[in-house]
Amino acid sequence: MLRVNNPNIDAAQDRWYHLGFGPSVGVKAMFEDVKFVCMGGKDKRMEDYAKYLHQVLHEPANSVYEEGTKDLRNLSASAGRYCMYKVGSALSVSHGMGMPSFQILLNELFKLLAYAECEDVSFIRLGTSGGLGIEPGTTVVSKQGYSSMLKPYFTQVVCGKETNYDSMCDESLRSQLLACGKRLGTKMVAGNTMSCNGFYEEQGRLDGAMCTFTPEEKMAFLRKAHDECGIVNIEMETNMFAAMCNRFQVKSATVCVTVCNRMNGDAVLTTEDGYKQWERQPMEVVAELIKSSM
């Protein structure tokens, strides 16, 4: 059973401000069967994923709908920060862009699911990323999250002090996802992921409004990340996400498709239709995992 390790809160009196609700008998009953939490940056992506999962799972009866309809209800609409849909025993939730927004969400999801006395829950981030040394359209299942300083841990600052936390993703969950991708014929690899606190300069991009480094410095940094750290893609969340899940003792995985090879340039060169097709790959793999677990 999930447990919150914080003696300073009263679970029955808590409120999850950014989700837009708090503890109640109804909330506990609604969430107590959750086994998968699927998360991605965009509201629209996770709304679309909820609808897709609803079809794949054949409209499970324990989904949450708008009253009197078969339209999935956005359970966090009142807060205006994230979206959240319940499809059977899975949640589809947006986490915003970057680690700070995502960390707020994780804190409140952990408290919610602990209050609901959930057990054996898997947390999975799905989305897009920039690749390093791999072909665009390849889906990466992360082994470990690295910082933009190429450190294999997440550094949490608390009361002016730094603590480093393990940022390994769950090996068994990764193996299951790779097996699902193989069944679907999806091109997938496992490798390390670098998570940055910005999209432009911190990722070594040359196309931001400001640039204080040379193309040669960019390439030296990317080659070091790839060759010395085994990093095969870059995004903005996994380093923190894996560390938080390890601290809370739940399984985590990141499944992100690569939309470019940063070794060859910063731009996404595929068509709009090609991009949409790539974007669906992580969704299909994770849906296969959830379907196969039923």
Side-chain angles (χ1 to χ4, degrees), residues 30 33 54 57 59-65 72 86-90:
M30 182 183 296
D33 61 350
H54 191 239
L57 300 182
E59 302 184 0
N62 53 337
S63 303
V64 179
Y65 302 106
L72 293 167
K86 185 172 185 291
V87 183
S89 297

Side-chain angles (χ1 to χ4, degrees), residues 10 46 82 90 123 127 144 147 151 165 185 191 206 214 218-220 223-224 236 241 266 276-277 280 282 288:
D10 179 350
M46 300 318 293
Y82 308 103
F123 287 73
Q144 183 166 20
S147 73
K151 302 298 183 184
Y165 290 102
L206 300 172
T214 66
K218 164 197 166 176
M219 291 307 301
R223 280 193 292 267
K224 181 178 181 180
M236 297 173 62
F241 168 50
D266 298 333
K276 289 180 179 178
Q277 183 178 348
R280 282 186 70 86
E288 175 70 13

Side-chain angles (χ1 to χ4, degrees), residues 153-195:
Y153 49 76
F154 173 67
T155 301
Q156 178 68 62
V157 177
V158 177
C159 298
K161 299 178 181 179
E162 293 183 346
T163 303
N164 299 327
Y165 290 102
D166 171 37
S167 55
M168 287 289 294
C169 296
D170 185 79
E171 184 176 358
S172 64
L173 188 55
R174 178 170 66 250
S175 296
Q176 292 174 58
L177 287 160
L178 289 168
C180 290
K182 186 175 181 179
R183 287 199 297 272
L184 295 172
T186 304
K187 185 174 182 180
M188 298 182 73
V189 299
N192 295 330
T193 297
M194 177 166 65
S195 305

Side-chain angles (χ1 to χ4, degrees), residues 129-134 140-153 167 189-196 202-203 220-236 238-239 258 260-263:
S129 62
L132 277 189
I134 58 177
V140 176
V141 185
S142 301
K143 292 182 177 179
Q144 183 166 20
Y146 274 68
S147 73
S148 58
M149 295 297 292
L150 304 184
K151 302 298 183 184
Y153 49 76
S167 55
V189 299
N192 295 330
T193 297
M194 177 166 65
S195 305
C196 299
E202 196 162 324
Q203 294 191 27
F221 172 64
L222 295 184
R223 280 193 292 267
K224 181 178 181 180
H226 180 270
D227 297 346
E228 297 183 18
C229 303
I231 292 169
V232 296
N233 67 330
I234 305 173
E235 40 87 281
M236 297 173 62
T238 295
N239 180 236
T258 57
C260 64
N261 181 357
R262 293 288 314 286
M263 297 294 198

